[in-house]
């Protein structure tokens, strides 16, 4: 597209992302299904109604993700879905026309997602310094989304270099790993820091409990917006504190479409809308 409204906006198609706007909105279902595939489908249905373009899960074997003695182990084990369940959910998403992808927490899960036909792979902030895992994932020839929570620029540099040396299609997501994140801690200026430093697609993985920060991030040029998602405020789930509802997501996706129009094409010139007013121009 010629003359982007924002110098940092990039064509999503080159990252294997299909969108009718210059933005890509992800409903992060994560573990909110509680290990129940029927509930997972209900949340997918809700995401489709909300206008989200993708749903994202977490694929893992609990024993490989944390030590069984960890306080997190019982929660992760309860929320663990089988590969067969993910195969069913991927097919379900395909039928509904919404993108399915996931965050693998071990290499076998990453291989499985590739075999499943996922074009996008997400790497959690917790694995940004997991160099061998990044090297292995970089060889899968998929677009890799990397959250940058808990990380400094040196660590992001190293991770970006590893992923770039693989297939080169890297999306960096500004992220604050606080659950929930206070709006005053969102540090949206970090989006500009990432834009200035890395010649790749930049987005945001947000952990506030509202959509204002995501909208402002988009206005700053964050083209990928990831929000934890549940059907409604009454839904009890693992990530309830950081999850937005269907009605909130609908406001976000509608707002993003409006923002995309507002941004225009960025060309500074006399437009047809201004033509009638030129009679009032004054010359020296």
């Amino acid at each position: 597209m010629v003359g982007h409204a924002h110098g940092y906006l990039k064509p999503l198609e080159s990252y294997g992302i299909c969108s009718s706007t210059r933005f890509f909105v992800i409903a992060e279902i994560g573990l909110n299904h509680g290990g129940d595939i029927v509930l997972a489908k209900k949340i997918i249905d809700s995401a489709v109604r909300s206008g989200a373009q993708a749903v994202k899960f977490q694929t893992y074997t609990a024993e490989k993700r944390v030590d069984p003695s960890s306080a997190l182990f019982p929660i992760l084990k309860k929320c663990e879905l089988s590969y067969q369940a993910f195969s069913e959910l991927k097919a379900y998403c395909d039928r509904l026309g919404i993108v399915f992808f996931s965050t693998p927490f071990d290499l076998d899960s990453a291989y499985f997602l590739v075999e499943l036909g996922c074009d996008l792979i997400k790497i959690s902030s917790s694995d940004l310094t997991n160099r061998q895992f990044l090297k292995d994932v970089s060889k899968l020839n998929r677009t890799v989304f990397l959250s940058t929570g808990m990380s400094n620029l040196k660590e992001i540099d190293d991770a970006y270099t590893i992923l770039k040396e693989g297939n080169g299609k890297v999306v960096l997501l500004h992220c604050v790993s606080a659950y929930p994140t206070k709006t005053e801690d969102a540090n949206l200026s970090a989006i500009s820091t990432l834009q200035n430093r890395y010649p790749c697609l930049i987005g945001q993985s947000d952990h506030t409990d509202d959509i204002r920060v995501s909208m402002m991030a988009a206005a700053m040029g964050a083209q990928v917006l990831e929000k934890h998602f549940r059907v409604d405020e009454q839904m009890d789930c693992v990530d309830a504190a950081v999850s937005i509802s269907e009605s909130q997501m609908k406001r976000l996706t509608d707002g993003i479409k409006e923002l995309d129009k507002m941004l225009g094409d960025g060309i500074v010139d006399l437009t047809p809308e201004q033509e009638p007013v030129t009679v009032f121009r004054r010359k020296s």
Side-chain angles (χ1 to χ4, degrees):
M1 185 173 184
V2 178
H4 286 313
H6 194 301
Y8 296 113
L9 294 183
K10 301 187 183 304
L12 298 181
E13 298 82 8
S14 60
Y15 290 83
I17 298 171
C18 182
S19 176
S20 59
T21 69
R22 287 166 285 185
F23 299 91
F24 187 59
V25 182
I26 303 165
E28 159 71 291
I29 295 176
L31 306 177
N32 282 348
H33 50 76
D36 183 345
I37 190 172
V38 174
L39 180 56
K41 289 180 179 179
K42 288 181 180 178
I43 306 175
I44 292 170
D45 291 338
S46 179
V48 171
R49 291 192 299 267
S50 76
Q53 293 152 294
V55 291
K56 193 187 76 63
F57 289 84
Q58 296 181 18
T59 307
Y60 61 89
T61 301
E63 287 80 2
K64 294 180 181 179
R65 184 168 175 179
V66 297
D67 190 277
S69 63
S70 167
L72 288 176
F73 183 82
I75 299 171
L76 292 173
K77 195 64 184 175
K78 178 179 182 294
C79 297
E80 181 180 317
L81 287 172
S82 68
Y83 286 176
Q84 178 56 43
F86 279 121
S87 296
E88 190 173 331
L89 292 175
K90 170 69 163 61
Y92 190 72
C93 288
D94 289 347
R95 289 197 298 273
L96 293 177
I98 191 168
V99 175
F100 168 98
F101 72 118
S102 188
T103 299
F105 285 88
D106 56 78
L107 196 53
D108 286 339
S109 294
Y111 288 150
F112 164 72
L113 292 172
V114 170
E115 291 172 4
L116 199 56
C118 292
D119 296 322
L120 314 174
I121 296 287
K122 169 76 185 294
I123 299 297
S124 161
S125 294
S126 60
D127 277 320
L128 186 141
T129 55
N130 190 346
R131 296 173 63 87
Q132 187 58 54
F133 187 54
L134 295 178
K135 287 179 182 177
D136 292 333
V137 170
S138 75
K139 298 172 184 176
L140 298 178
N141 195 31
R142 294 296 186 271
T143 295
V144 179
F145 294 71
L146 176 65
S147 279
T148 59
M150 304 177 284
S151 306
N152 59 42
L153 284 176
K154 174 62 170 63
E155 292 167 335
I156 299 172
D157 282 348
D158 291 345
Y160 177 79
T161 299
I162 291 170
L163 293 173
K164 194 70 178 173
E165 287 175 351
N167 69 351
K169 292 184 288 188
V170 182
V171 183
L172 292 178
L173 304 183
H174 166 55
C175 177
V176 177
S177 296
Y179 307 88
T181 302
K182 297 177 182 177
T183 54
E184 60 266 31
D185 295 331
N187 193 23
L188 289 182
S189 293
I191 293 170
S192 297
T193 301
L194 296 176
Q195 289 167 334
N196 286 319
R197 194 174 183 92
Y198 305 101
C200 67
L201 192 63
I202 302 297
Q204 191 211 20
S205 177
D206 181 54
H207 296 120
T208 63
D209 60 359
D210 194 32
I211 65 171
R212 290 178 299 155
V213 169
S214 294
M215 282 300 305
M216 293 176 186
M220 292 182 68
Q223 291 178 258
V224 175
L225 303 166
E226 180 183 72
K227 290 289 294 184
H228 283 264
F229 184 75
R230 56 179 173 164
V231 177
D232 54 40
E233 289 83 355
Q234 285 70 49
M235 180 181 165
D236 185 28
C237 51
V238 173
D239 292 317
V242 298
S243 297
I244 61 171
S245 65
E246 179 182 324
S247 60
Q248 287 174 300
M249 182 66 86
K250 185 67 168 64
R251 291 201 303 273
L252 176 61
T253 58
D254 287 346
I256 290 298
K257 291 175 184 176
E258 186 177 12
L259 172 64
D260 190 55
K261 293 177 182 177
M262 290 180 185
L263 289 175
D265 60 16
I267 298 172
V268 180
D269 201 353
L270 176 64
T271 60
E273 293 78 15
Q274 300 177 88
E275 191 76 45
V277 191
T278 58
V279 296
F280 299 111
R281 296 181 76 173
R282 287 155 49 93
K283 299 181 180 179
S284 62

